[in-house]
Structure formats: C-alpha cells, structure tokens
C-alpha cells in the first residue's frame, strides 16, 4: 500500500485548526498520532469526516494512499514542483 499523503492546506482553507487539532484530537506534529485504518473505519481521526457522507469513504484507497513508496507521508511530488507562481512560469 502506498503511503498516505495528507494535504494540510487543502483541509486548512476549509476548516479552522481546532476542528482537527481540538475536536478530533490530532497532535500538532506530523507523525504524532497513532492512526490506522481500524480507527478510521470506526470514525476516529480522518474517519470522522471521511465516512462517505461528509467526504469520500475508506473504499477509495488511492485518494489518500497516493504517496510515492519510500518517501515520508507528507511528500507527494506530483504537483508540488509543477506549480506555476509569478516569476516562475513553469521553470
């Protein structure tokens, strides 16, 4: 199974920090939580929203498990280097 890529800022523009870090109990450090699929299926951590009602459910594995094997879970690489910013027109 490929590593999970968590798009923090994608979530952050939609929710305040307290939703995940207060209400759902996520630590303020990457890798600081003991998350596994059983907990997610039981509605803990990511499973509080990724339940098929608020956001896609656990049957869509590739949407979260999209990292490159061998890389840290927060490294995606598919879009990071291809973003075009002013003064960097795809260079």
């Amino acid at each position: 199974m490929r590593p999970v890529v968590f798009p923090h800022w994608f979530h952050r523009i939609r929710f305040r920090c307290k939703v995940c870090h207060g209400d759902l109990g996520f630590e303020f450090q990457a890798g600081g939580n003991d998350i596994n699929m059983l907990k997610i299926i039981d509605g803990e951590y990511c499973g509080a929203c990724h339940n098929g009602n608020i956001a896609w459910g656990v049957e869509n594995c590739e949407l979260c498990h999209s990292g490159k094997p061998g890389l840290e879970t927060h490294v995606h690489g598919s879009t990071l280097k291809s973003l075009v910013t002013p003064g960097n027109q795809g260079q």
Side-chain angles (χ1 to χ4, degrees):
M1 182 60 66
R2 297 179 83 165
V4 170
V5 173
F6 177 71
H8 182 265
W9 287 107
F10 180 83
H11 289 79
R12 181 58 188 92
I13 61 174
R14 289 162 175 77
F15 304 100
R16 294 185 181 269
C17 300
K18 81 168 214 62
V19 172
C20 297
H21 293 290
D23 300 344
L24 299 179
F26 281 96
E27 295 292 329
F28 278 98
Q29 180 175 341
N33 303 282
D34 182 28
I35 303 171
N36 60 54
M37 287 307 299
L38 291 176
K39 291 178 181 178
I40 293 172
I41 291 167
D42 285 342
E44 296 180 50
Y45 294 111
C46 310
C49 294
H50 288 279
N51 56 16
N53 293 320
I54 298 172
W56 65 77
V58 297
E59 66 280 353
N60 297 295
C61 306
E62 72 284 352
L63 293 176
C64 298
H65 290 275
S66 61
K68 294 181 180 182
L71 294 179
E72 296 180 48
T73 59
H74 64 279
V75 177
H76 192 278
S78 68
T79 58
L80 183 63
K81 297 202 182 332
S82 64
L83 293 177
V84 176
T85 58
N88 177 19
Q89 301 300 310
Q91 298 173 1

